[in-house]
Amino acid sequence: MIRGSVSIVGAGPGDPELLTVKAVRRIQTADVILYDRLVNEEILGCGKPEALRIYCGKAPGRHSMPQEAIEKLMIKYAAAGNQVVRLKGGDPYVFGRGGEEALAVAAAGIAYEVIPGITSAIGAAASAGIPLTHRGLAASFAIVTGSRCHDHASPVHWEGLVHSVDTLIIYMGVSTLPEIREQLLKYGKNPATPAALIENGTTVRERTVTGTLGNIDKLAAAMKISNPAIIIIGESVTVRDQLLSMEKAARSQIG
Ligand code: SAH
């Protein structure tokens, strides 16, 4: 009989305090922790000292562990009776290949659960002072990948997004930002639409740059923004500037 199990756990956007209570509990009791590159290493400290910690991400200059190999490891350790935690950045079901992993363990007849995490859009937006919806400015948002600009098999429907969604949040889009910008402008997005980039959101290394769709690619290049970063495009980006100027005014009154 198989006694082991797999918990596919969202580690949140970076700040370890943004883990869920359930995630912490599973990490504390895990025998094996398979973790990704974007998982804050501090989180691994919650695990049992003797727990096996296996890095599944990309080492600098190396390829990442193939998805199939990760799935095999999850199944191997769970089948041997271990409590396996598969720890992934943000939320496992948002561009995290968590669905593929759930399918693989389910097909192997292994008990599993998925524990959600705060996805980077939600975490980074909160941290940068950008509400994703805001009365009068934005009534909808969409999370989109920027990595499929050249993928004709499963393209992003930029035209539909331009005409139907108020706030766009783009993951994995730093390197394709010029193409994304071009697509949005082509389908009629106003170049004056406020835009922001948030790098390393919710961590001590967080950096935010704001501008407009018209100039955000140049600002990103000038500030050398690199991954992990999200792009936010929409009117509610202006709330950040309002908040910052109010904070500044409050500080000068105190001073
Ligand atoms: N499952 C993850 C996303 C994985 S895809 C989640 O739910 O957040 C990886 C992309 O996530 C990165 O290219 C970047 O766009 C985004 N990302 C992850 N962590 C981030 C962070 N701390 N700040 C900004 N963007 C982040």
Side-chain angles (χ1 to χ4, degrees):
M1 206 188 92
I2 296 171
R3 286 172 298 108
S5 67
V6 172
S7 301
I8 301 173
V9 178
D15 177 356
E17 285 197 292
L18 292 174
L19 274 171
T20 63
V21 174
K22 202 164 184 174
V24 173
R25 288 196 177 135
R26 290 303 181 278
I27 297 164
Q28 282 170 337
T29 55
D31 303 306
V32 181
I33 305 170
L34 300 162
Y35 64 101
D36 274 353
R37 184 172 57 96
L38 289 175
V39 170
N40 189 327
E41 301 250 338
E42 228 180 278
I43 292 170
L44 299 173
C46 309
K48 296 190 283 194
E50 69 275 21
L52 190 59
R53 293 162 171 79
I54 303 173
Y55 178 68
C56 302
K58 202 171 177 175
R62 292 242 199 117
H63 287 296
S64 39
M65 190 184 282
Q67 185 64 24
E68 222 173 82
I70 298 171
E71 289 164 12
K72 278 195 180 136
L73 282 178
M74 292 163 70
I75 293 164
K76 180 182 107 175
Y77 285 111
N82 294 291
Q83 303 300 316
V84 177
V85 161
R86 171 72 178 115
L87 199 54
K88 308 172 78 70
D91 179 82
Y93 277 0
V94 179
F95 300 125
R97 305 192 76 169
E100 289 164 59
E101 295 176 3
L103 285 168
V105 287
I110 288 176
Y112 77 95
E113 64 179 346
V114 177
I115 299 178
I118 295 182
T119 193
S120 41
I122 304 291
S127 181
I130 301 172
L132 299 180
T133 66
H134 194 77
R135 195 172 282 263
L137 294 180
S140 61
F141 68 84
I143 293 175
V144 183
T145 174
S147 72
R148 292 196 195 140
C149 281
H150 308 292
D151 182 349
H152 299 293
S154 78
V156 170
H157 300 285
W158 295 110
E159 184 172 12
L161 290 168
V162 163
H163 296 294
S164 57
V165 176
D166 294 330
T167 309
L168 289 175
I169 306 115
I170 300 152
Y171 286 32
M172 298 172 279
V174 178
S175 59
T176 51
L177 182 54
E179 283 103 314
I180 293 166
R181 176 182 164 277
E182 211 180 286
Q183 291 288 318
L184 294 173
L185 293 173
K186 178 172 126 188
Y187 291 119
K189 194 93 188 157
N190 185 343
T193 310
L197 269 131
I198 309 165
E199 178 189 73
N200 287 309
T202 80
T203 74
V204 288
R205 288 164 291 125
E206 177 174 312
R207 287 200 300 162
T208 300
V209 47
T210 56
T212 62
L213 179 60
N215 66 14
I216 196 72
D217 56 333
K218 299 214 168 51
L219 293 172
M223 290 202 40
K224 295 192 166 55
I225 297 285
S226 64
N227 267 316
I230 54 162
I231 305 157
I232 305 183
I233 298 163
E235 295 299 329
S236 65
V237 167
T238 54
V239 174
R240 171 181 164 84
D241 294 331
Q242 289 178 44
L243 287 169
L244 288 177
S245 60
M246 284 174 193
E247 282 162 24
K248 208 170 148 195
R251 269 198 307 274
S252 67
Q253 269 172 17
I254 294 163

